[in-house]
Amino acid sequence: DDIGELAIPLPDRATQDKIVNILDSISDLMSLNRLINDYLLQICESLFDETYANSTNPVLLSDLVEVCYGKDHKKLADGAIPTYGSGGIMRYVEKAICDHGESVLVPRKGTLNNVIYTSEPFWSVDTMFYTKMKRNHVAKYIYFFMKKQDLAYMNAGSAIPSMTTDILNVIQLNIPAEQQMKTFDETIQPLFNQILRYEKQNEILIEVRNTLLPKLMSGEINVSSLDLGC
């Protein structure tokens, strides 16, 4: 009843429509960026499939990476370092648990198939394994390989889906010769760079949208002064 009595100030309908058009422009650009990234990832996956099909050297995952446990993040202050859980980015903190090179993150509990690749400093919580590479040029190859595995089928938990280092370490995969691995990595690196640029652009657009909306609604920013092609 109390909430029902709250007075919510709204601009006039014409102003509301202009605000919606402005926000739609931002959302459309974000959707386009995500669509382009989806296509870029499909190209990378296709190149991985071709490379893997011609790979005949069987190894264990533990031959290529060291699987590491994440840690609790609650005592960390806010900052600019992304914190990953099994569902994705949870928050941004002051320091990194890993700040060198590439890593492939694999959920330990929860959504087991949400494998993540990153090449920037990050923090990983205790529901997310992260990896340290033992060889050069293998991170992206491992990322696409792990994405194609049914990790949920390997579940070692009961009520809560769980993964263990013992399960991960003995996963077998085929790898190409060293020069072929390097060629694959160097071929898709520019595509990954472009994906990262679009992801960062979307992060900026989210901040712009969240900052802009209350200012538009309150009239602090006059919509008639904005020209976004709306």
Side-chain angles (χ1 to χ4, degrees):
D1 292 339
D2 292 334
I3 293 176
E5 296 298 322
L6 290 176
I8 303 175
L10 290 175
D12 61 78
R13 180 54 187 267
T15 300
Q16 290 182 47
D17 289 342
K18 290 179 181 179
I19 292 173
V20 169
N21 286 335
I22 291 168
L23 298 180
D24 279 349
S25 296
I26 295 174
S27 295
D28 288 346
L29 180 53
M30 291 172 60
S31 296
L32 178 60
N33 287 345
R34 285 191 291 266
L35 181 62
I36 293 173
N37 275 358
D38 285 343
Y39 285 132
L40 291 174
L41 278 173
Q42 288 178 36
I43 294 172
C44 292
E45 288 185 7
S46 177
L47 291 171
F48 166 80
D49 289 341
E50 181 180 346
T51 303
Y52 194 84
N54 295 313
S55 301
T56 57
N57 180 24
V59 297
L60 298 179
L61 187 63
S62 59
D63 295 327
L64 304 177
V65 305
E66 176 189 354
V67 180
C68 306
Y69 285 89
K71 296 181 180 179
D72 186 30
H73 65 100
K74 296 183 180 65
K75 294 183 179 179
L76 297 176
D78 291 337
I81 304 297
T83 298
Y84 290 99
S86 58
I89 295 178
M90 300 170 58
R91 58 178 291 220
Y92 292 84
V93 296
E94 59 182 328
K95 65 179 182 178
I97 195 171
C98 182
D99 60 2
H100 54 279
E102 302 168 286
S103 184
V104 177
L105 286 70
V106 180
R108 188 175 75 86
K109 288 185 179 294
T111 310
L112 297 185
N113 285 324
N114 189 26
V115 179
I116 296 171
Y117 165 90
T118 181
S119 59
E120 298 189 327
F122 66 91
W123 187 274
S124 177
V125 302
D126 55 5
T127 60
M128 196 75 161
F129 291 118
Y130 68 97
T131 55
K132 295 179 181 178
M133 302 300 128
K134 294 181 178 180
R135 301 189 190 181
N136 295 326
H137 305 294
V138 299
K140 300 177 194 66
Y141 188 88
I142 293 171
Y143 167 67
F144 286 111
F145 173 80
M146 294 301 293
K147 276 188 65 178
K148 292 177 177 293
Q149 306 310 300
D150 187 0
L151 298 178
Y153 179 76
M154 304 177 192
N155 170 32
S158 52
I160 300 176
S162 301
M163 180 58 62
T164 68
T165 55
D166 289 340
I167 293 174
L168 291 175
N169 284 332
V170 297
I171 291 177
Q172 184 171 301
L173 65 155
N174 293 333
I175 61 172
E178 185 175 346
Q179 183 56 48
Q180 290 173 304
M181 181 74 84
K182 181 180 179 183
T183 299
F184 168 76
D185 187 53
E186 292 177 345
T187 299
I188 68 172
Q189 184 61 58
L191 302 179
F192 266 63
N193 292 341
Q194 190 62 52
I195 289 170
L196 182 60
R197 281 193 287 270
Y198 283 127
E199 287 178 346
K200 288 188 176 297
Q201 186 179 76
N202 274 5
E203 290 176 5
I204 294 172
L205 288 171
I206 290 172
E207 291 181 8
V208 169
R209 181 195 63 193
N210 293 344
T211 301
L212 196 58
L213 179 56
K215 294 181 181 295
L216 291 171
M217 293 292 291
S218 66
E220 182 178 345
I221 296 178
N222 186 354
V223 294
S224 63
S225 66
L226 298 177
D227 182 12
L228 298 180
C230 303

